[in-house]
Amino acid sequence: MKKFLVVVDMQKDFVDGALGTKEACAIVPTVCKRIRSHEGRIFVTLDTHFDNYMETAEGSKLPVQHCIKDTEGWQLDKNVKAALSGKSFALVEKNTFGSVKLPELIRNTAGGDDFSIELIGLCTDICVVSNALILKANFPEVPITVVEDCCAGVTPEKHAAAIETMKSCQINIE
């Protein structure tokens, strides 16, 4: 069985930049350890916005400019980038919470073989849960797991709520 790891939005702006939190900083070592120990293909999502972010629907509800393409904040956290060195991975840019391209990329990479999916990253209550639910909708019979201690939410309370939501949607929590 092929094993895929999805690293969600481990970018500077979410770790210690514009929208960073102490909880996000705290998961970096466990995320890096998980990446280094993973044997198989890795998909790395990048929250990607542009100079007009504040004029978008998201920008009107979250008026904090972040992850503007090609800025320092858009880049992967330096430790995460180092952990990916030598690994087989694909970058997946997305301009909203969940990637609609990710299921197709995973399906094509699986090539008809059985597979499982593991998700780690930021933020549990926004992008992790969105991607997990998109993947579950596309692959209802595939084991999908979110690694709780490799995720952080906007707040600890929202992280816990997102974990409960994913459990309700039959996503495995490790």
Side-chain angles (χ1 to χ4, degrees):
M1 175 182 291
K2 292 183 176 177
K3 294 182 179 187
F4 299 128
L5 177 64
V6 178
V7 179
V8 179
D9 297 357
M10 288 299 298
Q11 295 159 274
K12 181 166 181 41
D13 271 348
F14 290 126
V15 175
D16 60 3
L19 294 170
T21 64
K22 66 181 181 190
E23 292 84 10
C25 291
I27 69 163
V28 171
T30 54
V31 165
C32 291
K33 182 177 179 184
R34 201 74 177 207
I35 290 169
R36 285 191 297 272
S37 68
H38 182 74
E39 297 295 328
R41 183 74 164 166
I42 301 172
F43 297 89
V44 181
T45 69
L46 296 172
D47 195 46
T48 303
H49 300 295
F50 301 94
D51 289 333
N52 70 336
Y53 172 76
M54 297 303 275
E55 299 161 19
T56 67
E58 180 182 327
S60 71
K61 293 183 191 252
L62 178 62
V64 177
Q65 204 163 17
H66 65 282
C67 296
I68 305 301
K69 187 171 178 152
D70 296 325
T71 64
E72 183 181 1
W74 180 73
Q75 302 298 321
L76 287 172
D77 171 84
K78 66 181 180 192
N79 298 301
V80 171
K81 188 174 182 179
L84 286 164
S85 179
K87 293 290 188 176
S88 175
F89 70 94
L91 296 174
V92 182
E93 292 182 21
K94 60 183 188 54
N95 62 4
T96 189
F97 309 125
S99 172
V100 295
K101 289 190 262 181
L102 189 57
E104 181 182 352
L105 293 170
I106 289 173
R107 186 177 287 111
N108 291 342
T109 304
D113 294 336
D114 288 339
F115 61 94
S116 63
I117 305 170
E118 187 175 275
L119 292 96
I120 61 177
L122 301 167
C123 293
T124 320
D125 50 313
I126 303 173
C127 295
V128 174
V129 69
S130 295
N131 282 289
L133 292 174
I134 287 170
L135 291 168
K136 188 66 175 174
N138 278 270
F139 307 115
E141 299 303 319
V142 168
I144 298 174
T145 302
V146 170
V147 182
E148 187 172 4
D149 69 350
C150 287
C151 295
V154 173
T155 66
E157 296 78 18
K158 289 185 177 190
H159 168 79
I163 293 295
E164 288 305 313
T165 296
M166 289 185 280
K167 282 181 186 176
S168 295
C169 294
Q170 301 177 358
I171 293 165
N172 302 318
I173 305 299
E174 179 184 311

